[in-house]
Amino acid sequence: MALRATLVWLSVLVLVGSSISVEADPNYRDALAKSLLFFQGQRSGRLPATQQINWRTSSGLYDGRLANVELTGGYYDAGDNVKFNFPMAFTTTVLSWGTLEYGKRMGPQLQSARAAIRWATDYLLKCATATPGRLYVGVGDPNVDHKCWERPEDMDTARSVYSVSPSNPGSDVAGETAAALAAASLVFRKVDPQYSRLLLSTARNVLRFAIQYRGAYSDSLGSAVCPFYCSYSGYKDELLWGAAWLFRATNDVFYFNLVKSLGAGDSTDIFSWDNKYAGAYVLLSRRAFLNKDKNFEQYKQQAEQFMCRILPNSPSSSTQYTQGGLMYKLPESNLQYVTAITFLLSTYSKYMAATRQTFNCGNLFVTSSTLRNLAKKQVDYILGVNPLKMSYMVGYGPYYPKRIHHRGSSLPSLARHPQSFGCEGGFQPFYYSANPNPNILIGAVVGGPNQNDGFSDDRTDYSHSEPATYINAAIVGPLAYFARSSRS
């Protein structure tokens, strides 16, 4: 009860703490640098000498051994020590897309973005090529891991290896992996052509596997991925998404025909690691805008229907907003939807501005500025322009979450505490402590406030206090977008 009372008192302090000044125009460049630095805190594998988040050290060095393959590297998805490839691949796709769209606005952070992408793609390449006819899709038993509170460097739980194959298909995770590799191949096309070709040829093979052996990976792997990252939306959206990215990377008519065969009839008002339809429509609409290709007009219409479901004054809006102006989709980790949808708003706004186009949601006239202003409002809210005057990005601004649900951040580092904690060793006194985390996971964007704009900064409240790679991946593009435009 003491912890709860302290946290309630702290959240009351937050509610009345209006003396903290809020920048009306946040420092997007600082936030961009920090949003990318966060990925270093999520790294698995042998860490390089250039590692800046130095309370983390090498971990998971024997990943893959239980299946006689080498699967080190990649990212822990959130505050746990598991490598789930489905959200990791989505993270990679969105980071790559953000870098393609906004790389010229990133300045010195372009190198950091490429490094963050490559840390994932090096691992995804291993997963796709280690064993012919098999795609590895995760390392670490989530059901065992989630009973522990220990640093990644101390892991003593089974590093079980999970895969999909012709007899146990996973079109969703394979489609997303293909999308990630294809998108990343474009990022590296000019700076590392050989690596780019390897990514693209592997993407082709993985998508072929996804198409040929159809099925949901949740059905094949059960409790190894559910309820953590079940494929709730099915796998058709990942096939469409993967085909769209391979078409963008190759211009091969085969992928255009595959996109057409999958259709564009699925309406949506969300974009996430699970549901890719909206992202695919915006990506495909680019051809209609920039190439004036009539074959892609239907995807532009679908993208605009999506925007009409998001815009607050649209007659077809199905999106709630908090009193403070934050988009509110779902109670658990709401900021993942906010950042992903904001990415689509800013990118579609960019396409509209480049071609001076507008559209209508019923009687609502929509310009590129309409979308841009809504995207900016969401980014600004996350960075502290909100009723609590609190940044939801760790280490950004004067007030931010101090008790995030993250094992490595909440436990003393190896340098300070060389002895291993063991599986349950971190619960007392660290997990249940009211003290701030000893290690600051700079740049981490947490799950965010509740529907009343409230936030308790409670480590045990994972649905609001846990960061995740896919929350951060989606905000990188909009931050780069506003970093440039705020200066011009």
Side-chain angles (χ1 to χ4, degrees):
M1 283 304 290
L3 170 68
R4 179 63 57 193
T6 307
L7 292 169
V8 168
W9 178 77
L10 282 167
S11 53
V12 170
L13 257 188
V14 171
L15 285 164
V16 297
S18 51
S19 59
I20 295 171
S21 65
V22 174
E23 301 169 77
D25 210 15
N27 184 338
Y28 302 115
R29 289 198 173 282
D30 182 43
L32 172 64
K34 286 172 175 166
S35 71
L36 287 163
L37 186 58
F38 157 78
F39 288 95
Q40 293 193 16
Q42 298 301 111
R43 283 172 168 171
S44 183
R46 189 168 298 286
L47 302 190
T50 52
Q51 175 80 9
Q52 289 169 273
I53 293 190
N54 53 19
W55 48 265
R56 280 294 327 281
T57 57
S58 299
S59 62
L61 297 179
Y62 302 108
D63 282 2
R65 184 173 282 186
L66 289 177
N68 296 313
V69 285
E70 202 276 287
L71 298 177
T72 59
Y75 292 113
Y76 303 118
D77 71 297
D80 54 37
N81 300 328
V82 184
K83 297 194 305 204
F84 290 102
N85 288 26
F86 194 33
M88 194 196 306
F90 175 72
T91 293
T92 311
T93 310
V94 174
L95 259 182
S96 298
W97 193 3
T99 305
L100 292 171
E101 293 289 349
Y102 304 105
K104 289 178 180 166
R105 299 166 185 245
M106 286 181 176
Q109 299 310 320
L110 179 56
Q111 286 297 101
S112 303
R114 286 185 189 136
I117 293 163
R118 189 160 187 154
W119 195 269
T121 51
D122 282 353
Y123 166 76
L124 293 174
L125 282 169
K126 294 177 187 180
C127 291
T129 59
T131 306
R134 186 174 293 278
L135 175 68
Y136 293 97
V137 300
V139 183
D141 183 334
N143 295 289
V144 175
D145 177 88
H146 284 71
K147 290 173 184 164
C148 301
W149 198 259
E150 60 184 341
R151 303 174 295 204
E153 294 83 0
D154 288 340
M155 283 187 296
D156 50 6
T157 55
R159 297 299 283 169
S160 307
V161 179
Y162 302 99
S163 62
V164 293
S165 63
S167 56
N168 286 290
S171 299
D172 29 35
V173 68
E176 183 59 76
T177 302
L181 296 170
S185 78
L186 290 164
V187 171
F188 293 103
R189 184 163 281 179
K190 288 182 180 168
V191 292
D192 193 339
Q194 187 177 356
Y195 188 63
S196 174
R197 285 192 295 272
L198 174 62
L199 290 167
L200 188 56
S201 63
T202 309
R204 284 181 182 271
N205 292 338
V206 174
L207 191 65
R208 191 180 304 122
F209 170 81
I211 297 161
Q212 192 171 350
Y213 305 104
R214 296 200 187 191
Y217 94 135
S218 314
D219 295 337
S220 295
L221 293 172
S223 65
V225 295
C226 292
F228 314 102
Y229 292 105
C230 273
S231 182
Y232 298 102
S233 68
Y235 58 78
K236 185 181 150 189
D237 55 319
E238 279 83 24
L239 293 181
L240 180 67
W241 180 236
W245 273 109
L246 270 152
F247 183 64
R248 169 115 184 236
T250 65
N251 273 323
D252 187 332
V253 71
F254 171 82
Y255 298 112
F256 172 60
N257 290 333
L258 177 57
V259 163
K260 275 200 304 189
S261 74
L262 291 163
D266 294 270
S267 299
T268 183
D269 66 352
I270 208 149
F271 179 47
S272 70
W273 57 262
D274 179 45
N275 192 321
K276 321 292 162 54
Y277 285 114
Y281 299 151
V282 170
L283 178 66
L284 291 164
S285 73
R286 183 177 176 274
R287 295 282 295 217
F289 279 110
L290 306 184
N291 302 69
K292 298 182 172 58
D293 189 334
K294 295 290 181 200
N295 290 310
F296 292 84
E297 198 63 36
Q298 61 172 325
Y299 304 109
K300 189 163 163 278
Q301 289 169 14
Q302 286 289 111
E304 284 163 10
Q305 283 176 25
F306 169 77
M307 300 299 162
C308 291
R309 291 190 181 91
I310 301 302
L311 287 165
N313 300 319
S314 161
S316 54
S317 180
S318 57
T319 304
Q320 283 182 286
Y321 287 81
T322 68
Q323 250 187 318
L326 180 69
M327 199 181 289
Y328 193 79
K329 280 292 180 186
L330 286 164
E332 295 208 354
S333 191
N334 178 57
L335 287 189
Q336 68 173 298
Y337 309 108
V338 177
T339 59
I341 292 169
T342 296
F343 180 95
L344 297 186
L345 288 168
S346 60
T347 302
Y348 205 75
S349 165
K350 180 171 165 265
Y351 297 164
M352 288 173 70
T355 54
R356 298 186 176 166
Q357 293 195 35
T358 61
F359 66 92
N360 293 293
C361 299
N363 58 2
L364 179 70
F365 180 62
V366 182
T367 68
S368 64
S369 295
T370 314
L371 301 186
R372 184 184 180 280
N373 292 342
L374 179 57
K376 184 176 186 300
K377 186 163 190 178
Q378 302 309 301
V379 171
D380 289 359
Y381 185 109
I382 290 168
L383 296 181
V385 185
N386 59 54
L388 298 189
K389 298 175 170 52
M390 177 173 195
S391 155
Y392 290 99
M393 177 183 284
V394 174
Y396 175 87
Y399 195 87
Y400 54 83
K402 301 289 201 300
R403 298 164 192 79
I404 66 171
H405 181 95
H406 188 278
R407 288 159 174 75
S409 170
S410 70
L411 294 162
S413 66
L414 272 175
R416 282 186 48 215
H417 190 286
Q419 299 83 15
S420 169
F421 282 106
C423 170
E424 296 178 7
F427 284 110
Q428 295 289 358
F430 301 106
Y431 178 72
Y432 294 111
S433 167
N435 294 330
N437 287 5
N439 306 310
I440 299 175
L441 183 57
I442 293 172
V445 180
V446 297
N450 63 27
Q451 64 197 54
N452 301 313
D453 298 298
F455 183 77
S456 62
D457 198 5
D458 179 350
R459 193 178 296 111
T460 66
D461 181 12
Y462 66 87
S463 68
H464 297 106
S465 67
E466 187 170 17
T469 53
Y470 40 88
I471 306 179
N472 267 66
I475 204 172
V476 166
L479 286 171
Y481 183 46
F482 294 123
R484 166 62 62 87
S485 42
S486 65
R487 211 177 49 168
S488 55

